[in-house]
């Protein structure tokens, strides 16, 4: 009984550690992806950087409280072992995602925190011989990962064409002022969608850890998980993501207010549809970046700096396998030291 009690205490301690690691990931997600919501608004001077960050933090907090369906999808990606072994798998997956987030943040590349997390969990699952729900990975992650940027690009392109046609006789300076005001709303909508999508992914990881220790059946998300994930993402967002903001706001294409509005409005619609209709954890980074490329292409194809865009796409392709590899290494290192 004494040994059982010690093992139970150790399991509780590791569970708390896993929750803390997941919230750290959520925080890094916030400052890594803060640029998604505000880069276009800051680059067009619709909002000051500090005001934009504050607005994004608040809307991320609100968005995180609006649903849990994406969280349930994430929690069903793998079926880890029970107890301490299962917690090790979950922790390794999250650490793999954090590592890749920090690498891409350092180089200013807007990679996907969402796919880093999924890749990390799958990598740790494979390394531990856990059951991976490949149908979920394909249907809810891989297919949306390809479709959402394509949809974002073309929707943004056609929306921008419509805006150009509607305001073709209007005075450019007056149109710019009006769309700077409209961008405040579209940036808020984008930040709301980011909170709706990205906070739920961390919720799913914590639920997965709770399921492995018998503290949850996986059918619901406890309120404390929702609130803590919402808070961590919001705080991380307010911490800022200046490196990535420069890439999205200026290096892909020089944006004006109408194009900034069209990109943010399009990305928001795609995020809401994915969360509420398909329950798919899509990437806010992929969606807004492709939308920016779409509105840029309405100027002329050469207006988009395709070299920078190509680097971003390479980061997208590498995200899942690299995060998976790091997670597998973390898992093997833990076992190497006898944990």
């Amino acid at each position: 009984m004494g040994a059982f009690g010690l093992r139970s205490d150790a399991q509780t301690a590791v569970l708390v550690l896993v929750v803390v690691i997941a919230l750290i990931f959520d925080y890094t997600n916030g400052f890594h992806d803060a640029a998604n919501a505000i880069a276009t608004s800051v680059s067009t001077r619709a909002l000051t950087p500090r005001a934009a960050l504050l607005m994004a933090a608040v809307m991320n907090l609100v968005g995180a409280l609006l649903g849990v369906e994406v969280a349930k999808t994430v929690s069903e990606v793998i079926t880890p072992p029970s107890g301490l072994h299962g917690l090790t798998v979950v922790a390794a997956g999250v650490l793999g995602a954090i590592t890749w987030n920090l690498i891409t943040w350092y180089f200013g590349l807007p990679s996907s925190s969402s796919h880093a997390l999924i890749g990390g969990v799958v990598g740790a699952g494979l390394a531990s011989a856990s059951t991976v729900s490949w149908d979920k990975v394909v249907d809810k992650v891989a297919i949306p990962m390809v479709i959402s940027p394509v949809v974002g690009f073309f929707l943004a392109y056609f929306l921008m064409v419509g805006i150009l046609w509607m305001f073709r006789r209007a005075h450019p300076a007056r149109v710019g002022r009006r769309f700077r005001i409209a961008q405040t709303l579209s940036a808020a909508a984008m930040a709301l969608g980011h909170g709706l999508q990205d906070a739920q992914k961390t919720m799913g990881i914590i639920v997965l850890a709770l399921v492995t220790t018998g503290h949850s059946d996986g059918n619901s998300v406890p309120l404390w998980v929702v609130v803590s994930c919402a808070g961590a993402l919001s705080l991380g967002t307010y911490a800022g993501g200046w490196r990535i903001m420069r890439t999205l706001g200026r290096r892909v294409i020089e944006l004006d207010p109408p194009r900034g509005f069209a990109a943010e409005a399009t990305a928001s619609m795609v995020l809401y549809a994915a969360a509420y209709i398909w329950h798919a954890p899509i990437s806010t980074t992929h969606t807004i970046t492709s939308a920016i490329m779409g509105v840029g292409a309405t100027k002329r194809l050469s207006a988009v700096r395709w070299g920078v865009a190509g680097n971003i796409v390479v980061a997208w392709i590498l995200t899942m396998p690299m995060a998976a590899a790091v997670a597998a290494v973390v898992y093997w290192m833990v076992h190497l030291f006898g944990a």
Side-chain angles (χ1 to χ4, degrees):
M1 289 296 291
F4 178 79
L6 286 173
R7 187 171 182 82
S8 178
D9 290 343
Q11 181 172 284
T12 301
V14 175
L15 174 61
V16 172
L17 179 62
V18 170
V19 171
V20 170
I21 292 172
L23 292 177
I24 290 172
F25 167 79
D26 207 21
Y27 181 86
T28 65
N29 188 347
F31 77 70
H32 188 277
D33 288 4
N36 295 343
I38 62 177
T40 54
S41 298
V42 172
S43 68
T44 61
R45 296 180 176 83
L47 293 168
T48 64
R50 190 54 59 187
L53 278 172
L54 180 60
M55 180 274 296
V58 172
M59 296 308 291
N60 270 339
L61 180 65
V62 174
L65 301 174
L66 296 182
V68 295
E69 294 302 324
V70 172
K72 292 179 182 177
T73 297
V74 172
S75 68
E76 295 168 355
V77 168
I78 67 168
T79 305
S82 60
L84 286 171
H85 190 193
L87 290 175
T88 303
V89 175
V90 177
V94 180
L95 287 171
I98 291 174
T99 302
W100 185 248
N101 263 2
L102 293 176
I103 291 171
T104 52
W105 168 81
Y106 179 80
F107 288 104
L109 292 174
S111 67
S112 169
S113 296
S114 310
H115 296 143
L117 185 61
I118 299 295
V121 171
V122 171
L126 291 173
S128 63
S130 300
T131 301
V132 178
S133 299
W134 290 111
D135 56 336
K136 288 277 184 185
V137 173
V138 172
D139 294 342
K140 298 293 187 178
V141 180
I143 293 176
M145 179 177 70
V146 175
I147 292 177
S148 57
V150 175
V151 171
F153 180 93
F154 285 105
L155 277 182
Y157 178 87
F158 289 118
L159 176 59
M160 192 62 222
V161 169
I163 290 173
L164 290 171
W165 185 83
M166 288 176 62
F167 294 94
R168 63 191 183 280
R169 294 188 178 90
H171 192 277
R174 187 176 303 166
V175 170
R177 286 195 298 271
R178 290 175 178 174
F179 272 100
R180 280 193 180 93
I181 297 173
Q183 259 202 286
T184 304
L185 299 177
S186 62
M190 180 67 200
L192 187 74
H194 178 245
L196 178 65
Q197 274 281 340
D198 285 46
Q200 286 195 53
K201 293 153 192 171
T202 306
M203 294 178 204
I205 293 300
I206 295 178
V207 168
L208 185 60
L210 294 174
V211 169
T212 64
T213 56
H215 290 88
S216 173
D217 58 6
N219 294 323
S220 61
V221 180
L223 180 61
W224 69 267
V225 174
V226 175
V227 173
S228 59
C229 289
L233 183 70
S234 183
L235 289 173
T237 298
Y238 192 68
W242 306 107
R243 292 173 182 266
I244 295 170
M245 194 185 304
R246 285 194 294 270
T247 299
L248 279 179
R250 296 191 182 279
R251 290 180 61 199
V252 175
I253 185 173
E254 293 289 342
L255 291 170
D256 52 27
R259 286 180 170 81
F261 169 80
E264 290 172 339
T266 299
S268 301
M269 289 187 288
V270 175
L271 291 175
Y272 298 153
Y276 285 120
I277 299 175
W278 293 289
H279 308 156
I282 68 168
S283 168
T284 54
T285 308
H286 292 195
T287 307
I288 186 62
T289 305
S290 62
I292 290 172
M293 294 178 190
V295 298
T298 60
K299 281 187 175 181
R300 59 187 186 280
L301 288 177
S302 60
V304 179
R305 298 184 179 100
W306 295 106
V308 176
N311 291 337
I312 293 171
V313 171
V314 170
W316 291 357
I317 295 171
L318 291 176
T319 291
M320 287 188 71
M322 291 302 294
V326 173
V329 170
V330 171
Y331 174 81
W332 287 324
M333 287 179 63
V334 170
H335 277 265
L336 181 65
F337 289 100

